[in-house]
Amino acid sequence: MPSIKPPAVAGQFYEADAHALRDEIRGYLDAAEVSPTNRKLAALIVPHAGYFYSGAAAACGYRLAEGQDFDTVVIFGLSHRVPCHISILDADGYQTPLGVAEIDTELVRSIRERMPGLEYQVSAHRMEHSVEVQIPFIQVALPGAKIVEILLQADDPQTCSALGQAVAGAIRAHPEKKVLIVGSTDMTHYQSYTKANEIDRATLEVLKSLEMDTIRETIENTEMIFGGRDCALCSKGAVYAVLETTLILGGNRAEIVTYRNSGDAVSMEQTGGRVVGYGVIAVYEE
């Protein structure tokens, strides 16, 4: 019997009703300030908050990809709730209100062959939203695309580089597959509207450089200044792994697609004066 992962946050982060959800996503895609691209899109970095807050930003990334014939989307996300070094979902499908997105089990096996010790930690995936919120967008913008879900809290260079090499090697071993790489992350947490804009736009500029050493140094320095639980990228390990993978596969030009924060969705009184940032980066192979 097929193993299907049920949704964890339908009705919370996004609509639980299929018709309402499809209409919501279609509305975000149609309102996006970008158009589908005919350039060779290699990767996207997109946010993962509730659609009310970050759906308009995420839609700008998926609008670029819409209409392209991607066979598989490999999504790197954060395990928010459960301690998890790194884990890959081992299932046959991923249920959302829009139906079951098929898991690319062939690519999952190929990745695991190239990274011994990469396991499926069931508890990490059970209630995690960082990848789940991407899947309905993919079902609407890239219908029929298969999914690979990878969660990690690790952000050290060795792990992210090894993961990038494993994923890139698996993709190269299957040249018949057209694969899009997606990194799921929000940006600054709990800064003022003005400060969030300042910090996040600087982070997006450095991500655009695709210079991994500079990116790591900038993120670490920014977070040292914050202190506490504040962050520059809540899923920085996922972002690093996406970039490592993409660079190996030939991604060589990145662009900032859009930026906004939760203060653009609700009044500052509702945010308590503190916001969360949502940026989108596209990486192309040119």
Side-chain angles (χ1 to χ4, degrees):
M1 180 178 293
S3 170
I4 307 298
K5 184 192 179 303
V9 294
Q12 302 173 52
F13 280 59
Y14 57 85
E15 295 281 356
D17 176 80
H19 294 293
L21 177 57
R22 187 174 292 277
D23 287 348
E24 180 182 27
I25 292 172
R26 189 69 259 164
Y28 284 133
L29 290 169
D30 289 345
E33 62 260 28
V34 298
S35 300
T37 183
N38 56 11
R39 298 162 67 188
K40 191 170 183 180
L41 184 62
L44 292 170
I45 295 172
V46 291
H48 59 224
Y51 286 6
F52 178 79
Y53 294 100
S54 70
C60 291
Y62 290 111
R63 181 64 171 157
L64 286 174
E66 191 168 21
Q68 297 200 24
D69 56 344
F70 287 106
D71 300 295
T72 300
V73 182
V74 177
I75 314 168
F76 296 85
L78 171 69
S79 176
H80 282 83
R81 298 167 180 81
V82 176
C84 171
H85 185 66
I86 179 171
S87 176
I88 189 166
L89 178 64
D90 188 358
D92 297 302
Y94 205 126
Q95 180 78 50
T96 81
L98 300 181
V100 175
E102 187 178 350
I103 301 295
D104 191 334
T105 55
E106 182 179 48
L107 197 59
V108 169
R109 285 195 299 271
S110 189
I111 293 168
R112 293 180 72 171
E113 287 170 0
R114 287 164 173 78
M115 194 170 186
L118 177 55
E119 300 292 343
Y120 171 31
Q121 184 181 328
V122 178
S123 60
H125 296 260
R126 185 177 292 121
M127 297 302 296
E128 181 51 52
H129 69 272
S130 62
V131 170
E132 180 179 327
V133 297
Q134 311 304 334
I135 295 176
F137 269 106
I138 292 165
Q139 289 174 301
V140 174
L142 302 169
K146 297 181 180 181
I147 304 295
V148 173
E149 174 181 279
I150 301 173
L151 300 179
L152 64 160
Q153 291 176 344
D155 55 33
D156 61 282
Q158 294 78 15
T159 299
C160 294
S161 176
L163 180 57
Q165 291 175 37
V167 174
I171 291 170
R172 281 179 167 166
H174 296 279
E176 75 283 1
K177 297 179 189 287
K178 185 176 180 182
V179 180
L180 176 66
I181 312 296
V182 169
S184 176
T185 189
D186 293 339
M187 302 191 73
T188 49
H189 285 50
Y190 319 124
Q191 300 296 315
S192 69
Y193 185 95
T194 301
K195 193 67 174 176
N197 268 276
E198 175 189 338
I199 296 167
D200 288 340
R201 291 185 185 279
T203 298
L204 290 169
E205 285 293 336
V206 76
L207 289 175
K208 191 176 75 170
S209 75
L210 298 179
E211 296 288 342
M212 290 304 302
D213 289 343
T214 302
I215 290 169
R216 288 180 183 279
E217 182 179 2
T218 300
I219 299 302
E220 298 303 325
N221 288 343
T222 301
E223 294 184 347
M224 284 178 63
I225 294 170
F226 288 161
R229 63 174 180 163
D230 294 344
C231 63
L233 296 169
C234 67
S235 309
K236 60 184 177 182
V239 171
Y240 297 160
V242 166
L243 296 180
E244 294 279 8
T245 304
T246 305
L247 289 167
I248 293 170
L249 292 172
N252 57 6
R253 182 177 178 84
E255 295 179 355
I256 300 168
V257 178
T258 193
Y259 173 77
R260 62 196 71 198
N261 63 49
S262 54
D264 295 311
V266 299
S267 70
M268 290 308 295
E269 288 76 15
Q270 289 173 285
T271 69
R274 295 290 181 264
V275 302
V276 177
Y278 313 120
V280 177
I281 290 277
V283 184
Y284 298 92
E285 183 179 338
E286 295 183 340

